[in-house]
Amino acid sequence: MACNGGNEPLLLTEQQQPKPENNCIASVKSRKLRRCKSAPMVEPVLQESNMNRFFERPKSIFDQVNPHYKRVATYLFIYLFISTICFYLVSNQISGVKTYGILDSIYFCIVTMTTVGYGDLLPNSTATKLLACAFVFSGMALVGLCLSRAADCLVENQEILLIKAIHLRREANSMEMLKEMETNRVRYRCIILSILLVILIASGTIFLTTVEKMQFVDAFYCVCSTITTLGYGDKSFSTPAGRIFAIFWILMSTICLAQLLFAFAEFYTESRQRSLVHWVLTRRTTAADLEAADLDDDGVVGAAEFVIYKLKEMGKINQEDIELIMTEFRNLDVDESGTLSPSDIFLAQSTR
Amino acid sequence: MACNGGNEPLLLTEQQQPKPENNCIASVKSRKLRRCKSAPMVEPVLQESNMNRFFERPKSIFDQVNPHYKRVATYLFIYLFISTICFYLVSNQISGVKTYGILDSIYFCIVTMTTVGYGDLLPNSTATKLLACAFVFSGMALVGLCLSRAADCLVENQEILLIKAIHLRREANSMEMLKEMETNRVRYRCIILSILLVILIASGTIFLTTVEKMQFVDAFYCVCSTITTLGYGDKSFSTPAGRIFAIFWILMSTICLAQLLFAFAEFYTESRQRSLVHWVLTRRTTAADLEAADLDDDGVVGAAEFVIYKLKEMGKINQEDIELIMTEFRNLDVDESGTLSPSDIFLAQSTR
């Protein structure tokens, strides 16, 4: 049974490779080594699928992510279409600095949905005021829920490209790259969003000084007031060209800043989580820990039991998660042996 | 060994209670049952600590949560103090509807840090414009990162009170309450925040109609424009009493709406997560699954192995988490038996 090849792992590392002259003993040895290793079967499969995701995503971006973007783009288009039509129909009840009817309507929608609210265009009738109230809530939800997620995906793709670019020089292997990405995902996100924000601030400031003929300080002040959605409104986009630029720029820059703040918060949370993980892993294991970790009461703690105990301590899983899975386990474990074998599965599924 | 009481679980359920007349067989039977159960040792301990948290938190609110609130309150106080002093010193460079110097400064700070930005008070010199830029970024970070977390804790306490109130009638036991809370936490959060938001909207509208003498529609429009941080600025708080009210009301209502949107997003994510968990638990387990789940290659899948496999499938944990813990496991498993015993721990810790 110890020499039975059926239970051998599919992939053996160089150290584990059994020598041909003494296959049986080597196999026992390798079994011992394997025992201490986690999931020899699952590991290559999972990593492979991760690898595929890692390497194929930028290529297959239009296959994989497109349905999501399409949906978000559709929502945005529907929202903008309806609100633009509405505000265009009541444009005589909107006062302020005007350019072209339809352009002003789109600009007003964008300024409202991102909650910038300059106040350079103002609803001045009961109907338009209530309309603005309705659209700001729906717009806020749209920006907060849908667009942020779409931006999330875009940034993730940029991260992958950035890490690839960094590693192109070092000629590291793909496994290292994958690990690097998993470990420093949030850090790369912060870097990319910071760079993007600086570009957006610079482009906005340059545009306002050149096209809207503002002074440098005023332009910078208007940019800051816009990306934070403060929108005092004393400085805003008042030319037709400015408003066309604003429609795209406001949407991008407000989402970018919000995402950056979110990434910083995530970075902070992850750092704390990491120190917790470090503490859990390095603290002294006591006999009481062993007793608590021993799920099947056989007096020793197996690898899987140890993993579950530590995961619980790290707060990654809770008792409820385990209970749910244990219920399913008990359903499948027809012979109540405490372990699942193919015969258990067969019996459990034939009686269902 | 099978009758050895040392390995018996500390708590036995009624079904598992060994009968006195045939203690040895009963104990073997109960061992069998226990084998299929998760963590008999950890469970009561963990649940007890949860219970304590559940029942003592509202009582010990000033012991447990206070340090966090204190820190947040200190940050807020420092921010408001510094920014108020700054804007008070340059109040001659701020134009617009004015009441009392120091009150206007605080009001301007609140309107700026929450990114409402009415524009009823405007910086009109280069220095004040740059000052406003600096304060809006820092204020945004403060509101987004610190205040939101403090609000989180407050809402959590409200949730506990709400669930207690609901269960007071039903006279359910405390375990059920705990489970109810864990399962429907996000739903209760949405309910509480919605109620709070309605109260804030109503109080704001009533205040604006009575004190600021606005028409009902204008008051509602101003309230909507404020809580969404839109802040067109055509309607705002212009009396001294209004500005005192605004200082507290704007801070509360903007955070409340942001938290509500966040809770809705969480609710959506949780629903999706729940259907994934349901799918993972109810899908047909195949022989290939068993092979993949069998971490120690003994041909059968133990409870702990099954739990890890399913947790991975649910996306709650990933290979990296497991790898980290397995490294620690290998360090502790000195005799390379694939299991940890007290002697392993002793050896590992004496050689370190």
Side-chain angles (χ1 to χ4, degrees):
Chain A
M1 182 66 187
C3 296
N4 183 358
N7 277 333
E8 288 306 306
L10 295 180
L11 288 173
L12 287 177
T13 63
E14 225 172 60
Q15 296 160 297
Q16 289 173 316
Q17 204 76 48
K19 279 164 200 122
E21 59 270 20
N22 195 352
N23 206 5
C24 186
I25 295 170
S27 142
V28 172
K29 256 194 176 168
S30 78
R31 164 70 80 55
K32 234 185 186 173
L33 275 167
R34 256 182 301 119
R35 274 207 166 217
C36 325
K37 278 205 141 187
S38 150
M41 289 295 297
V42 187
E43 199 174 332
V45 177
L46 269 180
Q47 283 175 352
E48 209 175 299
S49 74
N50 266 337
M51 296 287 270
N52 286 344
R53 186 177 145 264
F54 183 67
F55 287 100
E56 285 175 13
R57 201 152 188 193
K59 278 182 215 157
S60 64
I61 178 168
F62 288 104
D63 305 326
Q64 277 199 318
V65 191
N66 220 11
H68 182 66
Y69 286 141
K70 254 186 200 159
R71 213 180 49 201
V72 171
T74 313
Y75 288 159
L76 184 65
F77 182 79
I78 292 172
Y79 174 87
L80 277 179
F81 184 78
I82 295 175
S83 54
T84 304
I85 295 292
C86 288
F87 287 118
Y88 185 67
L89 290 176
V90 293
S91 57
N92 58 330
Q93 294 164 45
I94 290 176
S95 60
V97 187
K98 295 203 173 181
T99 61
Y100 302 111
I102 201 85
L103 179 60
D104 288 349
S105 299
I106 303 176
Y107 171 74
F108 183 72
C109 290
I110 294 284
V111 168
T112 302
M113 79 187 286
T114 54
T115 77
V116 170
Y118 289 127
D120 53 351
L121 288 173
L122 282 171
N124 64 356
S125 74
T126 303
T128 44
K129 280 173 186 174
L130 292 178
L131 207 60
C133 290
F135 278 111
V136 69
F137 278 111
S138 51
M140 214 180 158
L142 185 71
V143 171
L145 303 181
C146 299
L147 290 190
S148 295
R149 269 160 213 226
D152 237 40
C153 293
L154 275 171
V155 171
E156 205 171 296
N157 287 321
Q158 292 305 312
E159 278 173 72
I160 293 169
L161 288 177
L162 176 69
I163 296 163
K164 272 188 171 178
I166 290 172
H167 283 263
L168 217 60
R169 279 193 221 155
R170 279 201 242 151
E171 289 185 15
N173 68 40
S174 18
M175 268 307 300
E176 273 176 46
M177 272 212 251
L178 181 67
K179 205 152 197 175
E180 169 87 3
M181 191 186 107
E182 286 290 331
T183 319
N184 294 316
R185 204 183 55 81
V186 181
R187 183 175 297 166
Y188 283 119
R189 166 155 303 193
C190 289
I191 294 171
I192 288 169
L193 285 168
S194 301
I195 294 170
L196 194 63
L197 193 67
V198 168
I199 294 171
L200 282 166
I201 289 177
S203 63
T205 311
I206 292 168
F207 185 89
L208 284 171
T209 47
T210 51
V211 179
E212 295 272 337
K213 310 284 178 214
M214 281 186 199
Q215 284 197 313
F216 179 76
V217 173
D218 285 343
F220 181 71
Y221 163 73
C222 177
V223 163
C224 289
S225 151
T226 305
I227 60 174
T228 56
T229 78
L230 182 60
Y232 285 132
D234 51 341
K235 302 283 167 196
S236 62
F237 297 84
S238 50
T239 63
R243 291 200 168 168
I244 292 171
F245 175 79
I247 288 168
F248 301 98
W249 183 82
I250 291 176
L251 210 53
M252 281 194 290
S253 56
T254 51
I255 291 175
C256 180
L257 182 63
Q259 292 268 327
L260 183 62
L261 273 181
F262 206 77
F264 280 148
E266 219 180 333
F267 187 72
Y268 171 77
T269 311
E270 209 180 74
S271 307
R272 285 185 58 145
Q273 176 67 21
R274 248 179 228 184
S275 42
L276 174 67
V277 166
H278 182 77
W279 178 82
V280 166
L281 286 178
T282 53
R283 79 177 183 82
R284 219 179 156 81
T285 306
T286 63
D289 287 321
L290 284 190
E291 203 183 339
D294 185 16
L295 298 195
D296 57 4
D297 266 323
D298 60 355
V300 288
V301 174
E305 288 170 333
F306 188 72
V307 169
I308 289 179
Y309 184 68
K310 288 288 179 187
L311 283 173
K312 245 181 176 177
E313 226 181 349
M314 289 173 192
K316 294 209 187 238
I317 56 172
N318 58 43
Q319 192 59 31
E320 207 195 348
D321 299 326
I322 298 175
E323 277 304 317
L324 277 172
I325 302 171
M326 284 308 295
T327 310
E328 174 66 10
F329 182 82
R330 281 189 284 270
N331 289 342
L332 288 175
D333 185 23
V334 179
D335 63 1
E336 294 188 356
S337 61
T339 54
L340 292 185
S341 57
S343 68
D344 279 320
I345 305 286
F346 179 76
L347 278 170
Q349 284 170 352
S350 57
T351 52
R352 262 186 195 179
Chain B
M1 182 65 188
C3 295
N4 183 358
N7 277 333
E8 288 306 307
L10 296 181
L11 287 173
L12 287 177
T13 64
E14 225 171 62
Q15 295 160 299
Q16 289 174 316
Q17 204 76 47
K19 280 165 200 124
E21 59 270 17
N22 197 351
N23 206 6
C24 186
I25 295 169
S27 141
V28 172
K29 254 192 176 170
S30 77
R31 162 71 81 51
K32 231 180 186 174
L33 277 167
R34 258 181 300 120
R35 276 207 165 216
C36 325
K37 277 205 142 190
S38 147
M41 289 294 297
V42 187
E43 200 174 329
V45 178
L46 267 181
Q47 282 175 354
E48 211 175 298
S49 74
N50 266 336
M51 295 288 270
N52 286 344
R53 187 177 142 265
F54 183 64
F55 286 101
E56 284 175 15
R57 203 151 185 192
K59 279 183 217 159
S60 64
I61 177 168
F62 289 104
D63 305 324
Q64 279 201 317
V65 191
N66 219 9
H68 182 65
Y69 287 142
K70 256 186 199 158
R71 212 179 52 199
V72 171
T74 313
Y75 289 160
L76 185 64
F77 182 78
I78 293 171
Y79 174 86
L80 277 180
F81 184 77
I82 295 175
S83 54
T84 304
I85 294 291
C86 288
F87 286 119
Y88 186 65
L89 290 175
V90 293
S91 58
N92 59 329
Q93 293 165 44
I94 290 176
S95 60
V97 188
K98 293 202 175 181
T99 60
Y100 303 111
I102 199 86
L103 179 60
D104 287 349
S105 300
I106 303 176
Y107 171 75
F108 182 72
C109 290
I110 295 285
V111 168
T112 302
M113 79 188 285
T114 54
T115 77
V116 171
Y118 288 127
D120 52 352
L121 287 173
L122 282 171
N124 65 356
S125 73
T126 303
T128 44
K129 279 174 187 173
L130 293 178
L131 208 60
C133 290
F135 279 110
V136 69
F137 278 111
S138 51
M140 214 181 159
L142 185 71
V143 171
L145 303 181
C146 298
L147 290 189
S148 296
R149 269 160 214 224
D152 236 42
C153 292
L154 276 171
V155 171
E156 205 171 297
N157 286 322
Q158 293 303 311
E159 277 173 73
I160 293 171
L161 289 177
L162 176 69
I163 296 163
K164 272 188 172 179
I166 289 171
H167 282 263
L168 218 59
R169 280 193 220 155
R170 278 201 242 151
E171 291 184 15
N173 68 43
S174 17
M175 268 309 298
E176 274 176 43
M177 271 211 251
L178 181 69
K179 205 152 194 174
E180 170 86 5
M181 193 187 106
E182 287 290 329
T183 320
N184 293 317
R185 204 183 55 80
V186 181
R187 184 176 297 166
Y188 283 120
R189 164 154 303 192
C190 289
I191 295 171
I192 288 169
L193 285 168
S194 302
I195 294 170
L196 194 62
L197 193 67
V198 169
I199 294 171
L200 283 167
I201 289 176
S203 63
T205 311
I206 292 168
F207 185 89
L208 284 171
T209 47
T210 52
V211 178
E212 296 272 337
K213 310 284 176 211
M214 282 185 198
Q215 284 198 315
F216 178 75
V217 173
D218 285 344
F220 180 72
Y221 163 72
C222 177
V223 163
C224 289
S225 152
T226 306
I227 61 175
T228 55
T229 78
L230 182 59
Y232 285 132
D234 51 342
K235 303 284 168 196
S236 62
F237 297 84
S238 49
T239 63
R243 290 197 171 170
I244 292 171
F245 175 80
I247 288 168
F248 301 98
W249 182 81
I250 290 175
L251 210 52
M252 281 194 288
S253 56
T254 49
I255 291 175
C256 181
L257 181 64
Q259 291 268 327
L260 182 63
L261 274 181
F262 206 77
F264 280 148
E266 220 181 330
F267 187 73
Y268 172 76
T269 311
E270 209 180 74
S271 308
R272 284 185 60 146
Q273 177 66 21
R274 249 180 228 182
S275 42
L276 174 66
V277 166
H278 181 78
W279 178 81
V280 166
L281 286 177
T282 53
R283 77 180 184 82
R284 219 181 154 81
T285 306
T286 62
D289 287 320
L290 284 191
E291 203 182 339
D294 185 16
L295 299 196
D296 57 4
D297 266 322
D298 60 356
V300 287
V301 174
E305 289 171 333
F306 188 72
V307 169
I308 290 180
Y309 183 68
K310 287 289 180 185
L311 284 174
K312 244 179 174 179
E313 223 179 352
M314 289 173 191
K316 295 209 187 236
I317 56 174
N318 58 43
Q319 193 59 33
E320 206 195 347
D321 300 325
I322 298 175
E323 277 304 318
L324 277 172
I325 302 172
M326 285 308 295
T327 309
E328 173 67 9
F329 181 82
R330 281 189 285 269
N331 290 342
L332 288 174
D333 186 23
V334 180
D335 63 1
E336 293 189 358
S337 61
T339 54
L340 292 186
S341 57
S343 68
D344 279 321
I345 304 287
F346 178 76
L347 278 170
Q349 283 170 353
S350 57
T351 52
R352 261 184 197 179

